[in-house]
């Protein structure tokens, strides 16, 4: 499904004047979701930056039907919502737009439950790799060695691989995406909207203040994550797993940019020295290895 | 009236199955629940009804009670009539969602099969669980018997969906004493219920649906005063619910011939010197004690609290103003305060009227009519001799061997 940027809808579904920080990746990502579905969806949003970004009621900057819900509840609320609207004959997409804390930590049980029931939802994990809204605390997807306010000397644990965890729920569609590759992401959202059942998209969305980089670098950081191979774009669609085009060339390790190019722009990795960098590169190889093996398995 | 009453079917059901029957008769569209004893029979029966296509509903088999309430809340936001049920620890696991659902002003019905809270693990009856949600914005009813569990569940839909109310309704029934005890009851026909309870209008109060009106629910408010105003509006809706509850049971009575009162049921409570007060299934035992005492010449009546929220303040003040003494039996307690109904009522009872709160039957401990009778008799005798007496908290329990008391 190839998409041309000049053929994307021009309607705006997010009004100007939001409360988002300069360079916020969530607005970039959410715009792409709304573009993909032409605004014909409803949004379920758990506590997080995206519950603050639309601004103050009675106004909102989100131009689609939206329900803000408690932190751990979004997959369950969405399960009920989609059941109700389907019963009433509405087949439009119900989209959960949730952060990493809501998905990998506090709402993990609800996410697993909704996926195991194969509810007809598109779940987008917009991952900024920490609890940014509450002031940059470490979450289940905060990477190893990253500084946060609750891991001041760098996180000692590994991150959870959410997309792989969701793959093992045997749902029809799992993909990773990046706000720096809108055509890839939009194509994935559109594909997901054509499939019945639970669809999970893990969207990388680097946050300037949280990751400590200049707010003009949001897209650049997201791009570097793919170019260095630390973020791999792949897609599992009903039995078949493939590396997505923007990541395809980085199967070849020699094509990847040095990891330091990605890390040195982010204050959170300031504690990563040469030795840690080597370990990091080995972890990236191991992840690639897993994905490539899975692509052999799910041919 | 006689004709419609004849259209009811006489059945023998346990309380949990009576609730399931009501959920079916209400043509509930989305059901979600998680198993917990003694609520389990409700959801097992409903799952069976859904699978056998006795009811056209979606059953969401969730992974927790938190998700159960979250999903029926979502279903209500999506325009469906929805139901969940729980008990004790499950109700507490829902706690955050209880408040969110109520403040979202969406119609919902939940059965709470009352049960004590651990540790130690104990599945037996106590009312503390349902009492713990009394500040959350839910309308809370307590059934006295299996018939009332069915009637109140049906009425709950009519109450919660009324545009003057739009607050969720919890229907309490005592664990095992009602949930697992078979009683004979009258079940109205589907036709009669359909005529009384039309399908839910999904646009009242609002609907979140793909491609629908681009409204947002729940984002931050411009001013905290606006948020406070929403609280005041909930409080006003609770007050308004008093009339709605009256009207709903009055219209239900026209169909079924049954009306056990509004917020309270009064059994000689307005013309007696002394009035015993309680809620839930053990009201039957307490009424037995009261009628025995009346036979012995004691001038005593009974006030049964049917709805804990909205709190029947006016009815209680009215009864208290005519009485010489009020004795309240709580099968619940607030640690550090005492029996919850006693604590909530005491301020409504004039200083000149004797008052006593009795905590009994916690953790499923059986309380016999003779124990209740002795407690009421002691209170009346004491009040007559030394009155007015004012004791908010006493514990009625057996002496334990080798321990206190």
């Amino acid at each position: 499904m190839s998409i041309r940027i000049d053929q994307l809808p021009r309607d705006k579904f997010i009004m100007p004047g939001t409360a988002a920080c300069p360079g916020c990746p969530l607005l970039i990502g959410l715009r792409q979701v709304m573009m993909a579905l032409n605004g014909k969806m409803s949004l379920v949003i758990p506590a997080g930056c995206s519950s603050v970004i639309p601004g103050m009621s009675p106004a909102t900057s989100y131009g689609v039907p939206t329900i803000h819900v408690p932190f751990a509840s979004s997959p369950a609320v969405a399960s009920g919502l989609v059941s109700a609207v389907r019963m009433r004959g509405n087949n439009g997409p119900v989209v959960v737009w949730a952060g990493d804390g809501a998905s990998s930590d506090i709402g993990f049980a609800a996410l697993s439950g909704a996926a195991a029931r194969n509810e007809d939802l598109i779940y987008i994990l917009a991952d900024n790799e920490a609890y940014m809204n509450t002031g940059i605390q470490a979450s289940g997807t905060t990477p190893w060695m990253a500084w946060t306010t609750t891991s001041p000397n760098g996180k000692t644990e590994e991150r959870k691989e959410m997309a792989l965890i969701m793959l093992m729920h045997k749902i029809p569609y799992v993909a990773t995406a990046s706000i720096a590759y809108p055509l890839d992401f939009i194509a994935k959202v559109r594909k997901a909207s054509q499939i019945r059942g639970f669809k999970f998209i893990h969207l990388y969305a680097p946050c300037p203040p949280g990751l400590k980089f200049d707010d003009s670098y949001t897209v650049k950081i997201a791009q570097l994550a793919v170019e260095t191979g630390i973020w791999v774009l792949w897609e599992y669609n009903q039995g078949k797993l493939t590396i997505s085009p923007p990541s395809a060339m980085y199967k070849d390790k020699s094509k990847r940019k040095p990891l330091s190019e990605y890390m040195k722009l982010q204050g959170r990795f300031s504690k990563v020295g040469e030795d840690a960098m080597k370990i990091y590169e080995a972890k990236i190889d191991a992840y690639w290895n897993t994905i490539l093996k899975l692509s052999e398995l799910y041919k | 009236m006689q004709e419609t009453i004849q259209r009811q079917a006489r059945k023998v059901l346990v309380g949990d199955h009576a609730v399931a029957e009501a959920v079916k008769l209400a043509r509930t569209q989305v059901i979600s629940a998680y198993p917990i004893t003694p609520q389990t029979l409700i959801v097992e029966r409903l799952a069976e009804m859904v699978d056998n296509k006795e009811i056209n509903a979606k059953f969401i088999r969730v992974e927790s009670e938190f998700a159960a309430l979250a999903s029926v809340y979502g279903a209500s936001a999506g325009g469906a009539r929805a139901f969940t049920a729980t008990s004790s620890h499950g109700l507490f696991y829902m706690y955050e969602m209880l408040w969110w659902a109520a403040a979202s002003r969406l119609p919902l019905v939940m059965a709470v099969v009352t049960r004590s809270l651990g540790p130690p693990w104990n599945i037996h009856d106590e009312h503390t669980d349902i009492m713990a949600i009394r500040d959350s914005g839910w309308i809370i009813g307590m059934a006295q018997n299996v018939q009332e569990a069915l009637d109140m569940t049906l009425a709950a839909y009519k109450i919660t969906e009324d545009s003057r109310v739009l607050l969720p309704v919890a229907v309490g029934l005592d664990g095992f004493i009602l949930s697992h005890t078979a009683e004979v009851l009258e079940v109205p026909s589907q036709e009669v219920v359909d005529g009384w309870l039309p399908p839910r209008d999904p646009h009242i109060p609002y609907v979140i649906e793909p491609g629908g009106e681009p409204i947002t629910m729940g984002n931050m408010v411009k001013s905290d005063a606006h948020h406070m105003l929403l609280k005041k509006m909930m409080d006003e809706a609770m007050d308004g619910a008093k009339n709605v509850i009256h009207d709903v049971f009055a219209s239900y009575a026209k169909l079924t011939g049954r009306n056990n009162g509004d917020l309270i049921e009064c059994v000689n409570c307005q013309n007696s010197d002394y009035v015993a007060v309680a809620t839930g299934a053990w009201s039957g035992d307490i009424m037995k004690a009261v009628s025995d005492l009346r036979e012995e010449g004691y001038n005593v009546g009974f006030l049964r609290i049917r709805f804990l929220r909205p709190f029947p303040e006016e009815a209680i003040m009215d009864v208290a103003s005519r009485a010489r003494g009020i004795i309240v039996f709580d099968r619940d307690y607030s640690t550090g305060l005492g029996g919850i109904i006693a604590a909530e009522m005491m301020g409504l009872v004039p200083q000149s009227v004797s008052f006593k709160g009795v905590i009994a039957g916690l953790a499923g401990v059986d309380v016999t009519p003779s124990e209740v009778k002795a407690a009421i008799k002691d209170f009346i005798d004491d009040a007559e001799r030394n009155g007015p007496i004012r004791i908010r908290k006493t514990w009625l329990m057996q002496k334990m061997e080798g321990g206190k008391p």
Side-chain angles (χ1 to χ4, degrees):
Chain A
M1 199 192 307
S2 82
I3 289 171
R4 278 175 46 184
I5 209 153
D6 61 346
Q7 286 171 354
L8 287 169
R10 286 170 185 251
D11 291 333
K12 300 278 184 286
F13 298 102
I14 298 182
M15 305 303 132
T18 70
C21 305
C24 178
L26 297 178
L27 270 188
I28 300 173
L30 198 50
R31 278 206 180 89
Q32 293 167 2
V33 176
M34 294 185 183
M35 224 177 242
L37 302 174
N38 201 19
K40 298 275 182 287
M41 82 271 225
S42 59
L43 273 181
V44 179
I45 301 179
C49 290
S50 298
S51 27
V52 178
I53 288 170
M56 306 292 195
S57 78
T60 172
S61 64
Y62 297 164
V64 301
T66 302
I67 185 161
H68 294 276
V69 300
F71 214 171
S73 73
S74 55
V77 174
S79 299
L81 187 81
V82 79
S83 302
V85 302
R86 293 288 181 271
M87 190 155 268
R88 296 179 43 240
N90 181 327
N91 282 312
V94 174
V95 178
V96 179
W97 173 260
D100 43 294
S103 307
S104 71
D105 295 337
I106 194 168
F108 188 65
L111 171 58
S112 179
R117 293 190 302 271
N118 201 25
E119 301 283 357
D120 193 15
L121 300 170
I122 302 175
Y123 189 102
I124 301 172
L125 157 48
D127 190 357
N128 52 23
E129 300 194 325
Y131 291 87
M132 299 314 184
N133 191 46
T134 45
I136 322 169
Q137 293 83 21
S139 80
T141 70
T142 301
W144 177 63
M145 288 293 280
W147 167 93
T148 68
T149 54
T150 53
S151 58
N153 291 315
K155 191 182 168 195
T156 47
E157 304 84 21
E158 294 282 343
R159 59 178 279 139
K160 286 189 197 177
E161 294 302 345
M162 289 299 293
L164 291 179
I165 292 170
M166 297 319 292
L167 186 65
M168 291 299 116
H169 282 73
K170 302 171 186 169
I171 51 179
Y173 188 86
V174 180
T176 60
S178 164
I179 55 109
Y181 297 87
L183 298 186
D184 178 68
F185 179 42
I186 288 170
K188 285 171 174 168
V189 173
R190 285 190 176 168
K191 210 178 285 181
S193 72
Q194 299 306 310
I195 300 166
R196 236 186 135 82
F198 199 88
K199 289 82 61 176
F200 181 85
I201 302 177
H202 192 167
L203 176 73
Y204 182 55
C207 160
L211 275 47
K212 293 181 171 281
F213 61 81
D214 188 277
D215 54 35
S216 64
Y217 283 177
T218 307
V219 172
K220 188 186 172 109
I221 296 282
Q223 219 160 8
L224 278 168
V226 170
E227 289 167 353
T228 56
I230 195 170
W231 188 251
V232 185
L233 299 176
W234 56 269
E235 178 184 60
Y236 169 88
N237 186 359
Q238 299 163 96
K240 198 167 147 57
L241 192 147
T242 48
I243 308 295
S244 305
S247 276
M249 68 183 282
Y250 306 112
K251 279 182 211 169
D252 178 353
K253 198 179 164 183
S254 67
K255 299 268 171 50
R256 296 178 204 158
K257 286 189 176 171
L259 184 61
S260 59
E261 286 194 26
Y262 170 71
M263 293 227 167
K264 72 185 179 198
L265 293 173
Q266 302 174 52
R268 65 171 172 161
F269 289 123
S270 62
K271 295 267 168 64
V272 178
E274 251 175 59
D275 291 348
M277 196 72 85
K278 286 213 177 73
I279 298 171
Y280 237 118
E281 279 167 354
K283 286 179 195 294
I284 292 171
D285 288 347
Y287 182 75
W288 266 97
N289 207 11
T290 306
I291 298 300
L292 290 171
K293 286 219 168 102
L294 284 171
S295 71
E296 293 286 308
L297 217 57
Y298 295 113
K299 253 191 171 138
Chain B
M1 191 191 281
Q2 202 53 39
E3 194 193 344
T4 31
I5 293 166
Q6 279 167 3
R7 266 187 262 162
Q8 296 184 94
R10 178 161 285 211
K11 291 190 182 183
V12 180
L13 294 174
V14 298
D16 277 1
H17 288 168
V19 170
E21 197 67 28
V23 171
K24 174 188 160 187
L25 286 169
R27 297 194 185 274
T28 306
Q29 295 161 296
V30 177
I31 298 155
S32 175
Y34 186 78
I36 181 168
T37 305
Q39 162 266 157
T40 320
L41 297 182
I42 300 178
V43 292
E44 285 174 350
R45 182 74 191 99
L46 286 170
E48 209 172 80
M49 287 170 169
V50 173
D51 262 18
N52 298 343
K53 306 203 178 339
E54 291 171 55
I55 173 175
N56 180 26
K58 165 97 186 267
F59 188 94
I60 308 178
R61 250 186 322 272
V62 282
E63 71 294 337
S64 75
E65 287 89 355
F66 177 80
L69 182 54
S71 58
V72 292
Y73 154 77
S76 186
R81 183 171 283 165
F83 173 83
T84 188
T86 192
S87 283
S88 176
H89 291 262
L91 182 66
F92 281 33
Y93 204 52
M94 288 177 173
Y95 203 65
E96 182 192 20
M97 279 312 303
L98 288 166
W99 291 68
W100 195 274
S104 297
R105 305 300 302 273
L106 288 166
L108 268 182
V109 174
M110 168 170 71
V112 176
V113 185
T114 58
R115 165 183 154 176
S116 57
L117 290 143
W121 285 120
N122 182 347
I123 56 175
H124 298 142
D125 186 30
E126 181 183 315
H127 300 156
T128 307
D129 57 354
I130 198 167
M131 295 282 180
I133 71 168
R134 67 194 186 281
D135 300 336
S136 65
W138 283 66
I139 289 173
I140 303 167
M142 274 295 284
Q144 193 207 323
N145 49 41
V146 170
Q147 178 75 65
E148 196 173 30
L150 176 126
D151 294 342
M152 207 179 252
T153 305
L154 272 174
Y157 285 99
K158 193 116 171 144
I159 296 164
T160 188
E161 290 173 13
D162 192 298
S163 60
R164 294 166 288 176
V165 179
L166 296 170
L167 290 168
V169 179
V171 176
L173 61 154
D174 288 71
F176 296 105
I177 300 168
L178 297 188
S179 68
H180 287 60
T181 305
E183 286 178 18
V184 178
L185 77 165
E186 304 285 342
V187 180
S189 69
Q190 186 67 62
E191 189 194 353
V192 163
V193 174
D194 286 348
W196 181 70
L197 180 69
R200 184 185 159 202
D201 179 346
H203 296 279
I204 296 175
Y206 54 84
V207 62
I208 305 285
E209 56 189 346
E213 191 191 351
I215 59 163
T216 281
M217 180 62 209
N219 63 326
M220 301 196 334
V221 282
K222 198 178 278 176
S223 78
D224 294 342
H226 185 219
H227 190 179
M228 187 168 167
L229 175 64
L230 293 174
K231 299 284 143 197
K232 183 165 178 278
M233 288 164 76
M234 278 174 79
D235 194 55
E236 285 162 2
M238 264 294 176
D239 272 341
K242 291 175 181 174
N243 286 332
V244 175
I245 288 168
H246 171 86
D247 294 349
V248 166
F249 283 102
S251 70
Y252 189 73
K254 280 188 192 146
L255 298 180
T256 61
R258 284 188 298 281
N259 192 347
N260 296 318
D262 304 335
L263 300 183
I264 62 153
E265 182 183 12
C266 174
V267 182
N268 295 315
C269 75
Q270 291 191 317
N271 49 8
S272 298
D273 289 342
Y274 289 91
V275 178
V277 178
T279 193
W282 69 342
S283 300
D285 297 325
I286 297 170
M287 272 193 248
K288 167 84 173 80
V290 166
S291 83
D292 285 356
L293 283 167
R294 286 181 77 85
E295 276 178 28
E296 290 175 25
Y298 282 89
N299 190 355
V300 57
F302 181 66
L303 185 158
R304 179 166 70 90
I305 298 196
R306 294 183 77 226
F307 281 85
L308 294 149
R309 290 290 182 274
F311 194 63
E313 184 178 343
E314 295 85 354
I316 287 168
M317 285 196 290
D318 180 52
V319 169
S321 69
R322 299 158 197 259
R324 291 170 61 78
I326 304 278
I327 181 166
V328 180
F329 290 88
D330 269 293
R331 196 163 206 156
D332 56 75
Y333 72 111
S334 165
T335 313
L337 182 65
I340 293 164
I341 301 174
E344 294 201 337
M345 272 183 68
M346 196 174 179
L348 303 173
V349 177
Q351 288 291 336
S352 55
V353 177
S354 288
F355 185 89
K356 189 172 191 177
V358 181
I359 298 169
L362 299 186
V365 167
D366 196 31
V367 183
T368 61
S370 63
E371 286 171 290
V372 173
K373 187 179 156 190
I376 298 173
K377 202 170 171 176
D378 278 357
F379 169 64
I380 296 175
D381 292 346
D382 192 14
E384 286 296 322
R385 262 196 312 273
N386 310 312
I389 52 167
R390 305 279 293 182
I391 310 165
R392 201 188 64 233
K393 178 173 69 175
T394 56
W395 289 75
L396 175 65
M397 62 190 299
Q398 68 204 92
K399 293 249 191 290
M400 302 296 285
E401 223 172 281
K404 289 181 182 177

